[in-house]
Amino acid sequence: MSFFSRRKLSEQELNNYQQQLNEFKYKITKFEDRLDKLQNDLECKSQGEPLQGVNVINAEEAANRVEKAAQKALPHELKEAFDEINSAVENEQQSVRLFQYELGAYVCANGKPQRKRIYHIDALSKKLKKYGYETKLDSNGPNSFLEVSWKGKETSDISKIDPAKKYVLPLEDTECEITDSATGKAISYEVAYACPRDDKWRIIYDRKICSDAVIVPGKEIIDVPKWVRSIEPIEVDY
């Protein structure tokens, strides 16, 4: 059995993907603008000011909406976080800071400037911990950040790994839908996989029905970094 071969994307496909990414970022910004308005409305209500032309919601519902926004953005933010971690590893660093907002960059919401969000650092912290990373939140208003650190290699549970077989190591909650910019319909799905490249483990994005680019021989999964060790390997028939 063979898997799909990797091919070089055409310029048109690259442009389509970039357009989809820009649209996704725009939708997140608009949704966060709505959340900011809800928070402002709640603040007015708590101070006894009248609300005109708005639907009043309680604090629990507002918190639930914020949580849903964070979970919706999580796959994209995980990809961005892994890219920053990979870059830090390339520079032989042991940690990286992921800022909640762009520093020095502002967008207007509700008639007032505010910084554009990059990460929902609370939700991201919980997810990265599942992959063995050490995380520390530094809450400082618009300058808040998540510090992510990692250590060296550990021995994985070799009872689950057959050195003679091959596996894929997909990271959970990283599936991203790729849509056709013209029709808006899903044409493919991407998932983040852990793969060794140039003697280092990296995050590679590939199709949900993976190609041979993300298949890893079992013998290479015996001595791995802690975050790779936390991923459940899936045997492939190759």
Side-chain angles (χ1 to χ4, degrees):
M1 176 181 177
S2 62
F3 289 80
F4 294 107
S5 299
R6 292 181 67 83
R7 64 181 180 83
K8 185 176 180 180
L9 295 176
S10 67
E11 183 176 352
Q12 180 62 40
E13 288 175 314
L14 289 173
N15 289 337
N16 286 341
Y17 290 163
Q18 184 61 51
Q19 180 180 348
Q20 292 165 30
L21 178 59
N22 292 339
E23 291 174 354
F24 182 71
K25 289 181 177 179
Y26 175 76
K27 289 178 180 178
I28 290 178
T29 300
K30 295 294 290 183
F31 190 77
E32 288 173 346
D33 289 348
R34 292 176 57 195
L35 289 175
D36 286 336
K37 185 177 186 304
L38 287 170
Q39 290 171 341
N40 289 339
D41 291 341
L42 285 172
E43 183 177 350
C44 290
K45 181 65 176 178
S46 67
Q47 295 175 357
E49 297 179 16
L51 299 177
Q52 298 179 355
V54 299
N55 295 321
V56 178
I57 64 171
N58 59 33
E60 182 179 359
E61 184 178 352
N64 287 337
R65 292 187 184 185
V66 172
E67 177 64 21
K68 287 181 180 179
Q71 292 304 316
K72 184 177 181 180
L74 187 57
H76 171 73
E77 291 183 6
L78 270 175
K79 181 181 185 301
E80 296 296 316
F82 287 135
D83 286 345
E84 292 202 47
I85 291 171
N86 280 336
S87 178
V89 171
E90 282 291 320
N91 294 324
E92 299 183 351
Q93 298 172 219
Q94 290 294 316
S95 65
V96 66
R97 288 183 176 182
L98 306 177
F99 286 89
Q100 184 163 240
Y101 299 99
E102 287 186 356
L103 300 179
Y106 289 86
V107 294
C108 289
N110 301 325
K112 62 180 182 180
Q114 68 178 30
R115 285 179 173 167
K116 181 179 179 181
R117 184 188 290 274
I118 305 175
Y119 296 109
H120 293 79
I121 57 178
D122 291 312
L124 190 61
S125 175
K126 294 175 183 177
K127 180 58 65 175
L128 290 174
K129 284 181 179 178
K130 291 184 178 180
Y131 292 112
Y133 289 102
E134 295 181 6
T135 64
K136 180 180 178 182
L137 290 168
D138 188 305
S139 298
N140 186 22
N143 295 322
S144 297
F145 63 85
L146 173 66
E147 185 164 357
V148 185
S149 58
W150 50 90
K151 295 182 180 180
K153 294 183 176 181
E154 292 187 7
T155 300
S156 61
D157 186 355
I158 59 175
S159 64
K160 297 181 180 180
I161 302 295
D162 184 341
K165 295 182 178 180
K166 296 185 178 182
Y167 301 84
V168 291
L169 293 93
L171 284 71
E172 64 178 81
D173 295 330
T174 60
E175 182 177 313
C176 292
E177 182 181 272
I178 300 176
T179 59
D180 187 300
S181 59
T183 64
K185 295 182 178 179
I187 57 176
S188 183
Y189 293 87
E190 280 188 339
V191 176
Y193 297 87
C195 297
R197 292 288 187 276
D198 301 324
D199 297 324
K200 293 181 180 179
W201 281 85
R202 307 177 190 276
I203 303 298
I204 305 295
Y205 271 76
D206 200 8
R207 298 178 183 181
K208 186 175 180 180
I209 302 177
C210 62
S211 71
D212 55 3
V214 294
I215 294 175
V216 183
K219 62 183 179 180
E220 296 188 32
I221 313 177
I222 304 302
D223 187 29
V224 297
K226 186 177 181 180
W227 68 269
V228 178
R229 180 173 177 256
S230 67
I231 303 172
E232 185 68 25
I234 298 175
E235 184 183 339
V236 294
D237 181 12
Y238 183 75

PDB file of all heavy atoms in Angstrom, residues 26-51:
ATOM      1  N   TYR A  26      -9.168  37.349   9.764  1.00  0.00           N
ATOM      2  CA  TYR A  26     -10.139  38.450   9.796  1.00  0.00           C
ATOM      3  C   TYR A  26     -11.377  38.050  10.598  1.00  0.00           C
ATOM      4  O   TYR A  26     -11.883  38.837  11.405  1.00  0.00           O
ATOM      5  CB  TYR A  26     -10.533  38.830   8.372  1.00  0.00           C
ATOM      6  CG  TYR A  26     -11.623  39.880   8.289  1.00  0.00           C
ATOM      7  CD1 TYR A  26     -11.354  41.220   8.542  1.00  0.00           C
ATOM      8  CD2 TYR A  26     -12.925  39.515   7.950  1.00  0.00           C
ATOM      9  CE1 TYR A  26     -12.356  42.177   8.469  1.00  0.00           C
ATOM     10  CE2 TYR A  26     -13.933  40.464   7.884  1.00  0.00           C
ATOM     11  CZ  TYR A  26     -13.642  41.799   8.139  1.00  0.00           C
ATOM     12  OH  TYR A  26     -14.628  42.741   8.075  1.00  0.00           O
ATOM     13  N   LYS A  27     -11.853  36.806  10.393  1.00  0.00           N
ATOM     14  CA  LYS A  27     -13.036  36.342  11.111  1.00  0.00           C
ATOM     15  C   LYS A  27     -12.779  36.290  12.617  1.00  0.00           C
ATOM     16  O   LYS A  27     -13.647  36.635  13.413  1.00  0.00           O
ATOM     17  CB  LYS A  27     -13.449  34.963  10.606  1.00  0.00           C
ATOM     18  CG  LYS A  27     -14.045  34.973   9.196  1.00  0.00           C
ATOM     19  CD  LYS A  27     -14.397  33.572   8.735  1.00  0.00           C
ATOM     20  CE  LYS A  27     -14.982  33.596   7.324  1.00  0.00           C
ATOM     21  NZ  LYS A  27     -15.296  32.233   6.847  1.00  0.00           N
ATOM     22  N   ILE A  28     -11.562  35.850  13.005  1.00  0.00           N
ATOM     23  CA  ILE A  28     -11.225  35.810  14.424  1.00  0.00           C
ATOM     24  C   ILE A  28     -11.239  37.221  15.015  1.00  0.00           C
ATOM     25  O   ILE A  28     -11.762  37.454  16.107  1.00  0.00           O
ATOM     26  CB  ILE A  28      -9.850  35.144  14.638  1.00  0.00           C
ATOM     27  CG1 ILE A  28      -9.935  33.645  14.328  1.00  0.00           C
ATOM     28  CG2 ILE A  28      -9.355  35.350  16.075  1.00  0.00           C
ATOM     29  CD1 ILE A  28      -8.616  32.923  14.457  1.00  0.00           C
ATOM     30  N   THR A  29     -10.651  38.185  14.272  1.00  0.00           N
ATOM     31  CA  THR A  29     -10.616  39.562  14.757  1.00  0.00           C
ATOM     32  C   THR A  29     -12.025  40.122  14.928  1.00  0.00           C
ATOM     33  O   THR A  29     -12.334  40.776  15.930  1.00  0.00           O
ATOM     34  CB  THR A  29      -9.824  40.451  13.778  1.00  0.00           C
ATOM     35  OG1 THR A  29      -8.482  39.953  13.664  1.00  0.00           O
ATOM     36  CG2 THR A  29      -9.767  41.892  14.269  1.00  0.00           C
ATOM     37  N   LYS A  30     -12.911  39.853  13.946  1.00  0.00           N
ATOM     38  CA  LYS A  30     -14.283  40.335  14.033  1.00  0.00           C
ATOM     39  C   LYS A  30     -15.010  39.703  15.212  1.00  0.00           C
ATOM     40  O   LYS A  30     -15.775  40.384  15.913  1.00  0.00           O
ATOM     41  CB  LYS A  30     -15.034  40.018  12.731  1.00  0.00           C
ATOM     42  CG  LYS A  30     -14.507  40.752  11.507  1.00  0.00           C
ATOM     43  CD  LYS A  30     -14.729  42.261  11.614  1.00  0.00           C
ATOM     44  CE  LYS A  30     -16.177  42.636  11.489  1.00  0.00           C
ATOM     45  NZ  LYS A  30     -16.404  44.101  11.530  1.00  0.00           N
ATOM     46  N   PHE A  31     -14.774  38.413  15.425  1.00  0.00           N
ATOM     47  CA  PHE A  31     -15.445  37.737  16.541  1.00  0.00           C
ATOM     48  C   PHE A  31     -14.962  38.304  17.871  1.00  0.00           C
ATOM     49  O   PHE A  31     -15.748  38.502  18.804  1.00  0.00           O
ATOM     50  CB  PHE A  31     -15.179  36.233  16.479  1.00  0.00           C
ATOM     51  CG  PHE A  31     -16.026  35.444  17.431  1.00  0.00           C
ATOM     52  CD1 PHE A  31     -17.354  35.192  17.157  1.00  0.00           C
ATOM     53  CD2 PHE A  31     -15.484  34.944  18.608  1.00  0.00           C
ATOM     54  CE1 PHE A  31     -18.144  34.476  18.032  1.00  0.00           C
ATOM     55  CE2 PHE A  31     -16.266  34.225  19.490  1.00  0.00           C
ATOM     56  CZ  PHE A  31     -17.606  33.985  19.195  1.00  0.00           C
ATOM     57  N   GLU A  32     -13.665  38.579  17.969  1.00  0.00           N
ATOM     58  CA  GLU A  32     -13.135  39.143  19.208  1.00  0.00           C
ATOM     59  C   GLU A  32     -13.665  40.566  19.426  1.00  0.00           C
ATOM     60  O   GLU A  32     -13.872  40.994  20.569  1.00  0.00           O
ATOM     61  CB  GLU A  32     -11.608  39.136  19.166  1.00  0.00           C
ATOM     62  CG  GLU A  32     -11.042  37.718  19.318  1.00  0.00           C
ATOM     63  CD  GLU A  32      -9.542  37.679  19.109  1.00  0.00           C
ATOM     64  OE1 GLU A  32      -8.990  38.666  18.588  1.00  0.00           O
ATOM     65  OE2 GLU A  32      -8.937  36.659  19.459  1.00  0.00           O
ATOM     66  N   ASP A  33     -13.912  41.300  18.326  1.00  0.00           N
ATOM     67  CA  ASP A  33     -14.520  42.622  18.460  1.00  0.00           C
ATOM     68  C   ASP A  33     -15.897  42.502  19.096  1.00  0.00           C
ATOM     69  O   ASP A  33     -16.286  43.317  19.946  1.00  0.00           O
ATOM     70  CB  ASP A  33     -14.642  43.289  17.077  1.00  0.00           C
ATOM     71  CG  ASP A  33     -13.290  43.711  16.522  1.00  0.00           C
ATOM     72  OD1 ASP A  33     -12.311  43.704  17.296  1.00  0.00           O
ATOM     73  OD2 ASP A  33     -13.212  44.037  15.328  1.00  0.00           O
ATOM     74  N   ARG A  34     -16.656  41.485  18.679  1.00  0.00           N
ATOM     75  CA  ARG A  34     -17.987  41.265  19.248  1.00  0.00           C
ATOM     76  C   ARG A  34     -17.893  40.924  20.731  1.00  0.00           C
ATOM     77  O   ARG A  34     -18.703  41.384  21.539  1.00  0.00           O
ATOM     78  CB  ARG A  34     -18.697  40.143  18.506  1.00  0.00           C
ATOM     79  CG  ARG A  34     -19.081  40.482  17.059  1.00  0.00           C
ATOM     80  CD  ARG A  34     -19.685  39.293  16.362  1.00  0.00           C
ATOM     81  NE  ARG A  34     -20.853  38.797  17.090  1.00  0.00           N
ATOM     82  CZ  ARG A  34     -21.394  37.602  16.859  1.00  0.00           C
ATOM     83  NH1 ARG A  34     -20.854  36.799  15.955  1.00  0.00           N
ATOM     84  NH2 ARG A  34     -22.457  37.217  17.551  1.00  0.00           N
ATOM     85  N   LEU A  35     -16.892  40.122  21.088  1.00  0.00           N
ATOM     86  CA  LEU A  35     -16.705  39.771  22.495  1.00  0.00           C
ATOM     87  C   LEU A  35     -16.351  41.008  23.321  1.00  0.00           C
ATOM     88  O   LEU A  35     -16.827  41.166  24.449  1.00  0.00           O
ATOM     89  CB  LEU A  35     -15.602  38.712  22.635  1.00  0.00           C
ATOM     90  CG  LEU A  35     -15.951  37.317  22.129  1.00  0.00           C
ATOM     91  CD1 LEU A  35     -14.733  36.404  22.220  1.00  0.00           C
ATOM     92  CD2 LEU A  35     -17.099  36.725  22.917  1.00  0.00           C
ATOM     93  N   ASP A  36     -15.515  41.876  22.752  1.00  0.00           N
ATOM     94  CA  ASP A  36     -15.169  43.113  23.456  1.00  0.00           C
ATOM     95  C   ASP A  36     -16.416  43.956  23.700  1.00  0.00           C
ATOM     96  O   ASP A  36     -16.579  44.558  24.767  1.00  0.00           O
ATOM     97  CB  ASP A  36     -14.152  43.925  22.642  1.00  0.00           C
ATOM     98  CG  ASP A  36     -12.775  43.306  22.687  1.00  0.00           C
ATOM     99  OD1 ASP A  36     -12.493  42.565  23.643  1.00  0.00           O
ATOM    100  OD2 ASP A  36     -11.986  43.557  21.771  1.00  0.00           O
ATOM    101  N   LYS A  37     -17.310  44.008  22.713  1.00  0.00           N
ATOM    102  CA  LYS A  37     -18.536  44.781  22.877  1.00  0.00           C
ATOM    103  C   LYS A  37     -19.403  44.174  23.984  1.00  0.00           C
ATOM    104  O   LYS A  37     -19.994  44.903  24.795  1.00  0.00           O
ATOM    105  CB  LYS A  37     -19.308  44.814  21.562  1.00  0.00           C
ATOM    106  CG  LYS A  37     -20.549  45.723  21.613  1.00  0.00           C
ATOM    107  CD  LYS A  37     -21.244  45.786  20.271  1.00  0.00           C
ATOM    108  CE  LYS A  37     -22.392  46.801  20.305  1.00  0.00           C
ATOM    109  NZ  LYS A  37     -23.373  46.524  21.362  1.00  0.00           N
ATOM    110  N   LEU A  38     -19.474  42.847  24.012  1.00  0.00           N
ATOM    111  CA  LEU A  38     -20.255  42.185  25.059  1.00  0.00           C
ATOM    112  C   LEU A  38     -19.685  42.503  26.440  1.00  0.00           C
ATOM    113  O   LEU A  38     -20.427  42.763  27.397  1.00  0.00           O
ATOM    114  CB  LEU A  38     -20.255  40.673  24.825  1.00  0.00           C
ATOM    115  CG  LEU A  38     -21.111  40.167  23.657  1.00  0.00           C
ATOM    116  CD1 LEU A  38     -20.818  38.696  23.405  1.00  0.00           C
ATOM    117  CD2 LEU A  38     -22.580  40.378  23.929  1.00  0.00           C
ATOM    118  N   GLN A  39     -18.354  42.487  26.531  1.00  0.00           N
ATOM    119  CA  GLN A  39     -17.726  42.789  27.812  1.00  0.00           C
ATOM    120  C   GLN A  39     -17.993  44.240  28.227  1.00  0.00           C
ATOM    121  O   GLN A  39     -18.238  44.530  29.405  1.00  0.00           O
ATOM    122  CB  GLN A  39     -16.227  42.525  27.722  1.00  0.00           C
ATOM    123  CG  GLN A  39     -15.899  41.035  27.617  1.00  0.00           C
ATOM    124  CD  GLN A  39     -14.435  40.781  27.318  1.00  0.00           C
ATOM    125  OE1 GLN A  39     -13.716  41.657  26.856  1.00  0.00           O
ATOM    126  NE2 GLN A  39     -13.987  39.568  27.602  1.00  0.00           N
ATOM    127  N   ASN A  40     -17.954  45.171  27.247  1.00  0.00           N
ATOM    128  CA  ASN A  40     -18.256  46.567  27.547  1.00  0.00           C
ATOM    129  C   ASN A  40     -19.705  46.731  27.996  1.00  0.00           C
ATOM    130  O   ASN A  40     -20.011  47.492  28.925  1.00  0.00           O
ATOM    131  CB  ASN A  40     -18.004  47.437  26.311  1.00  0.00           C
ATOM    132  CG  ASN A  40     -16.535  47.577  26.000  1.00  0.00           C
ATOM    133  OD1 ASN A  40     -15.690  47.376  26.878  1.00  0.00           O
ATOM    134  ND2 ASN A  40     -16.204  47.896  24.755  1.00  0.00           N
ATOM    135  N   ASP A  41     -20.635  46.009  27.335  1.00  0.00           N
ATOM    136  CA  ASP A  41     -22.042  46.080  27.701  1.00  0.00           C
ATOM    137  C   ASP A  41     -22.272  45.570  29.119  1.00  0.00           C
ATOM    138  O   ASP A  41     -23.047  46.141  29.888  1.00  0.00           O
ATOM    139  CB  ASP A  41     -22.891  45.273  26.716  1.00  0.00           C
ATOM    140  CG  ASP A  41     -22.929  45.908  25.329  1.00  0.00           C
ATOM    141  OD1 ASP A  41     -22.625  47.114  25.237  1.00  0.00           O
ATOM    142  OD2 ASP A  41     -23.250  45.206  24.369  1.00  0.00           O
ATOM    143  N   LEU A  42     -21.573  44.472  29.451  1.00  0.00           N
ATOM    144  CA  LEU A  42     -21.710  43.923  30.796  1.00  0.00           C
ATOM    145  C   LEU A  42     -21.184  44.901  31.840  1.00  0.00           C
ATOM    146  O   LEU A  42     -21.741  45.043  32.926  1.00  0.00           O
ATOM    147  CB  LEU A  42     -20.957  42.596  30.892  1.00  0.00           C
ATOM    148  CG  LEU A  42     -21.632  41.402  30.219  1.00  0.00           C
ATOM    149  CD1 LEU A  42     -20.698  40.200  30.208  1.00  0.00           C
ATOM    150  CD2 LEU A  42     -22.928  41.051  30.918  1.00  0.00           C
ATOM    151  N   GLU A  43     -20.099  45.589  31.506  1.00  0.00           N
ATOM    152  CA  GLU A  43     -19.531  46.569  32.432  1.00  0.00           C
ATOM    153  C   GLU A  43     -20.515  47.724  32.647  1.00  0.00           C
ATOM    154  O   GLU A  43     -20.709  48.194  33.771  1.00  0.00           O
ATOM    155  CB  GLU A  43     -18.211  47.100  31.884  1.00  0.00           C
ATOM    156  CG  GLU A  43     -17.521  48.069  32.833  1.00  0.00           C
ATOM    157  CD  GLU A  43     -16.183  48.536  32.296  1.00  0.00           C
ATOM    158  OE1 GLU A  43     -15.722  47.967  31.299  1.00  0.00           O
ATOM    159  OE2 GLU A  43     -15.614  49.475  32.870  1.00  0.00           O
ATOM    160  N   CYS A  44     -21.153  48.169  31.572  1.00  0.00           N
ATOM    161  CA  CYS A  44     -22.150  49.236  31.696  1.00  0.00           C
ATOM    162  C   CYS A  44     -23.306  48.790  32.582  1.00  0.00           C
ATOM    163  O   CYS A  44     -23.791  49.547  33.426  1.00  0.00           O
ATOM    164  CB  CYS A  44     -22.670  49.627  30.316  1.00  0.00           C
ATOM    165  SG  CYS A  44     -21.462  50.490  29.287  1.00  0.00           S
ATOM    166  N   LYS A  45     -23.737  47.556  32.378  1.00  0.00           N
ATOM    167  CA  LYS A  45     -24.855  47.031  33.155  1.00  0.00           C
ATOM    168  C   LYS A  45     -24.504  46.960  34.639  1.00  0.00           C
ATOM    169  O   LYS A  45     -25.320  47.301  35.503  1.00  0.00           O
ATOM    170  CB  LYS A  45     -25.227  45.641  32.643  1.00  0.00           C
ATOM    171  CG  LYS A  45     -26.416  44.989  33.361  1.00  0.00           C
ATOM    172  CD  LYS A  45     -27.700  45.761  33.136  1.00  0.00           C
ATOM    173  CE  LYS A  45     -28.875  45.060  33.777  1.00  0.00           C
ATOM    174  NZ  LYS A  45     -30.137  45.818  33.619  1.00  0.00           N
ATOM    175  N   SER A  46     -23.283  46.539  34.934  1.00  0.00           N
ATOM    176  CA  SER A  46     -22.881  46.420  36.332  1.00  0.00           C
ATOM    177  C   SER A  46     -22.815  47.772  37.022  1.00  0.00           C
ATOM    178  O   SER A  46     -22.933  47.877  38.239  1.00  0.00           O
ATOM    179  CB  SER A  46     -21.518  45.727  36.429  1.00  0.00           C
ATOM    180  OG  SER A  46     -20.501  46.540  35.879  1.00  0.00           O
ATOM    181  N   GLN A  47     -22.618  48.845  36.226  1.00  0.00           N
ATOM    182  CA  GLN A  47     -22.547  50.197  36.788  1.00  0.00           C
ATOM    183  C   GLN A  47     -23.904  50.909  36.747  1.00  0.00           C
ATOM    184  O   GLN A  47     -24.015  52.084  37.062  1.00  0.00           O
ATOM    185  CB  GLN A  47     -21.510  51.019  36.013  1.00  0.00           C
ATOM    186  CG  GLN A  47     -20.094  50.485  36.172  1.00  0.00           C
ATOM    187  CD  GLN A  47     -19.097  51.217  35.307  1.00  0.00           C
ATOM    188  OE1 GLN A  47     -19.470  52.100  34.537  1.00  0.00           O
ATOM    189  NE2 GLN A  47     -17.830  50.872  35.430  1.00  0.00           N
ATOM    190  N   GLY A  48     -24.938  50.177  36.358  1.00  0.00           N
ATOM    191  CA  GLY A  48     -26.284  50.742  36.365  1.00  0.00           C
ATOM    192  C   GLY A  48     -26.608  51.582  35.163  1.00  0.00           C
ATOM    193  O   GLY A  48     -27.644  52.248  35.127  1.00  0.00           O
ATOM    194  N   GLU A  49     -25.763  51.583  34.129  1.00  0.00           N
ATOM    195  CA  GLU A  49     -26.037  52.376  32.944  1.00  0.00           C
ATOM    196  C   GLU A  49     -27.015  51.624  32.042  1.00  0.00           C
ATOM    197  O   GLU A  49     -26.964  50.402  31.942  1.00  0.00           O
ATOM    198  CB  GLU A  49     -24.736  52.656  32.176  1.00  0.00           C
ATOM    199  CG  GLU A  49     -23.738  53.475  32.973  1.00  0.00           C
ATOM    200  CD  GLU A  49     -22.457  53.701  32.200  1.00  0.00           C
ATOM    201  OE1 GLU A  49     -22.477  53.498  30.977  1.00  0.00           O
ATOM    202  OE2 GLU A  49     -21.460  54.090  32.817  1.00  0.00           O
ATOM    203  N   PRO A  50     -27.915  52.340  31.364  1.00  0.00           N
ATOM    204  CA  PRO A  50     -28.893  51.659  30.509  1.00  0.00           C
ATOM    205  C   PRO A  50     -28.250  51.093  29.254  1.00  0.00           C
ATOM    206  O   PRO A  50     -27.280  51.640  28.726  1.00  0.00           O
ATOM    207  CB  PRO A  50     -29.876  52.789  30.162  1.00  0.00           C
ATOM    208  CG  PRO A  50     -29.054  54.031  30.235  1.00  0.00           C
ATOM    209  CD  PRO A  50     -28.088  53.799  31.369  1.00  0.00           C
ATOM    210  N   LEU A  51     -28.781  49.965  28.811  1.00  0.00           N
ATOM    211  CA  LEU A  51     -28.316  49.341  27.578  1.00  0.00           C
ATOM    212  C   LEU A  51     -29.395  49.517  26.525  1.00  0.00           C
ATOM    213  O   LEU A  51     -30.551  49.154  26.745  1.00  0.00           O
ATOM    214  CB  LEU A  51     -28.048  47.843  27.794  1.00  0.00           C
ATOM    215  CG  LEU A  51     -26.975  47.496  28.829  1.00  0.00           C
ATOM    216  CD1 LEU A  51     -26.873  45.983  28.973  1.00  0.00           C
ATOM    217  CD2 LEU A  51     -25.629  48.066  28.437  1.00  0.00           C
TER     218      LEU A  51
END
